[in-house]
Amino acid sequence: SDGISRHQARLPSLGANNQGPGTDRRGAIATVVVSSVASLGISSLAPFPALAIDDDATTASLPEIQVAATGDAKKLFNEGRALEAQGNILAAQRLYAKVTKISPRFVFGWSNLGNTQVALGTLGEAEGSYSTAVDLCREKNKETEQFGARRCDDLYLLLLNRGSLRLNNGDPKGALKDLEESDSLRGRPDALILQNRARARELNGYYSAADKDYSVAISMTSNEVAPFWLRAALVQFELGEMKDAFNLLRRVENRFPEAPEVRAAYSAMLATQDDMAGAQQKLLEIPDKARLRFVDKNYLDKVVSWPPAMKEALAKVTSAVGDDKRAATEL
C-alpha cells in the first residue's frame, strides 16, 4: 500500500507508526499518552465531499478515488513520509494536509494525516481524517465490484487504526465495532487486532470474550511479556481465575517491576490472598504522587480503566495505608 500505520493499545497509551511500501508494517510504535486527550475537542475536519451539485451529476463530477498518489500529490506525500520517519511530525502533517487538498480522494493522504494528528495529540481531528480514509476505501471497493478497478486492500488496517484511536478517546463501543470488522476483513488471527479488540471487549464488559482474545494474542507473541499482559491478568481476576491471574501478573512484574500500575495490581492481588502486610508493602513501593492516583476514581475508571473486582481489592489496601484520607487533602 501507499503507507499505512498500525496502532497498538498500550497501558494506557495510543500508538501509531507509519511505513512506506515494501517495509515491515509491524515496526516501532510511537506512543501518545491518553491522559493528554481530556481537553481535546471534536474534529474540525469537514466530511468530504461537500459539493453543491445535483444528485444526477454527483457520480460524473467526483474525481476518481485513488489508492496510489500521482503528480504533485505523490511528491509531497513521499516528502511527508520522509519527514515523519525523521521525527519531524509537524512538518509532515503540513505536507499531508496539502496532499488532501490537492488530491482529496487519495485514501492514504487522509490516513497519514491522521497518523500525524495522533502523534501530536489531536485525536478528534485524527478521527475525522481516519473516517474520511475509511469512507473513501469503502467507496473504492464498491467501484471495484462494479467496474473492476484497483481495490483498496488496507481497509482492515484503516479500521484497526480508527478503532485503536476510539479505544483511547472515550468511544469503546465505536472501537469495538471497528475492531470486529477489522478482524473479519483480516480473515486470520492478527496479534495487534486481537490485543486491541480484547481491550475494547473488556471496556464494554465482555470479559470472557476479552480473555479469549488476550490468550490468543499472548500465544502469538512468542510469550514475550508485553504491557497488554497486565490487562489480561486483570480480566482473568475479574472472571475469578485468581491463580492464573496471579501467575500471569508475576511474569509482568518480573518484566516491569517499577511500573506503578503493575505494583498496584500486584498489591491488590496479594490482598485477596490474605497477605495484607505484603500488599501494603508493595503498594508503598510506588512513589507518593503516583500512588495517590490509585484512590482517584476518575483515574481508575477513565485512565487505567480497571475492572470492578480489581478496584474493590485495591481499595482495601489504599484504605489500610491511609491513602484515601491523604488523597482527600492532597489531590
Side-chain angles (χ1 to χ4, degrees):
S1 72
D2 269 82
I4 192 166
S5 72
R6 299 171 66 101
H7 285 170
Q8 180 175 12
R10 296 275 184 160
L11 293 171
S13 301
L14 176 69
N17 72 310
N18 184 51
Q19 314 289 337
T23 60
D24 183 359
R25 290 182 292 196
R26 296 175 183 270
I29 296 175
T31 60
V32 180
V33 179
V34 175
S35 58
S36 67
V37 307
S39 63
L40 295 180
I42 300 173
S43 170
S44 60
L45 291 176
F48 182 86
L51 301 174
I53 54 178
D54 62 79
D55 292 340
D56 292 338
T58 298
T59 302
S61 300
L62 291 177
E64 179 185 359
I65 297 172
Q66 296 175 296
V67 292
T70 59
D72 290 341
K74 181 177 181 179
K75 180 175 181 293
L76 289 171
F77 184 71
N78 289 335
E79 290 175 2
R81 293 214 319 243
L83 288 168
E84 193 171 1
Q86 296 165 11
N88 195 342
I89 305 300
L90 188 59
Q93 183 183 85
R94 287 195 289 265
L95 290 184
Y96 292 143
K98 289 181 181 179
V99 170
T100 62
K101 289 180 172 61
I102 295 172
S103 297
R105 307 260 288 173
F106 171 42
V107 174
F108 300 111
W110 288 102
S111 67
N112 280 31
L113 177 61
N115 298 343
T116 59
Q117 289 164 334
V118 167
L120 294 172
T122 54
L123 301 190
E125 292 182 359
E127 180 164 353
S129 295
Y130 284 149
S131 292
T132 300
V134 167
D135 291 345
L136 289 171
C137 191
R138 290 193 197 279
E139 188 175 343
K140 181 66 175 178
N141 289 340
K142 288 181 181 179
E143 290 180 1
T144 301
E145 293 172 2
Q146 293 178 353
F147 308 113
R150 178 178 172 183
R151 283 184 58 83
C152 177
D153 293 321
D154 286 318
L155 180 57
Y156 87 93
L157 283 174
L158 296 171
L159 289 164
L160 170 60
N161 279 4
R162 189 175 69 176
S164 300
L165 183 153
R166 287 175 167 176
L167 188 60
N168 290 275
N169 200 29
D171 184 13
K173 289 184 178 180
L176 183 56
K177 182 179 179 181
D178 278 351
L179 294 165
E180 293 281 16
E181 184 178 359
S182 178
D183 176 73
S184 176
L185 290 169
R186 184 61 165 151
R188 59 182 175 84
D190 182 293
L192 279 178
I193 295 174
L194 288 169
Q195 291 170 37
N196 283 282
R197 189 177 68 175
R199 179 80 164 133
R201 285 176 164 179
E202 175 192 345
L203 292 180
N204 281 284
Y206 305 132
Y207 294 110
S208 293
D211 182 46
K212 292 178 182 178
D213 277 353
Y214 280 132
S215 295
V216 177
I218 288 172
S219 71
M220 292 180 69
T221 52
S222 302
N223 282 325
E224 296 179 5
V225 179
F228 80 88
W229 285 33
L230 174 59
R231 305 303 318 181
L234 301 187
V235 166
Q236 288 180 336
F237 187 86
E238 184 68 26
L239 292 171
E241 300 169 6
M242 306 299 187
K243 184 177 180 180
D244 289 341
F246 194 59
N247 288 338
L248 188 59
L249 182 58
R250 279 176 172 165
R251 297 185 65 183
V252 177
E253 199 264 347
N254 286 335
R255 177 67 177 83
F256 305 104
E258 297 183 1
E261 189 178 1
V262 173
R263 285 175 167 170
Y266 204 93
S267 170
M269 288 197 190
L270 285 174
T272 64
Q273 298 178 13
D274 296 324
D275 185 6
M276 184 57 74
Q280 292 180 56
Q281 181 179 353
K282 178 59 68 173
L283 186 65
L284 291 172
E285 290 177 5
I286 305 173
D288 290 355
K289 185 175 181 180
R291 192 179 71 250
L292 289 179
R293 292 175 184 156
F294 289 94
V295 293
D296 181 351
K297 185 177 185 301
N298 184 68
Y299 182 77
L300 289 172
D301 290 346
K302 303 297 184 182
V303 180
V304 293
S305 302
W306 275 19
M310 282 298 295
K311 289 188 289 186
E312 182 180 350
L314 182 63
K316 295 176 182 177
V317 190
T318 57
S319 177
V321 300
D323 277 352
D324 51 347
K325 295 178 181 177
R326 184 177 176 185
T329 61
E330 296 190 19
L331 284 180

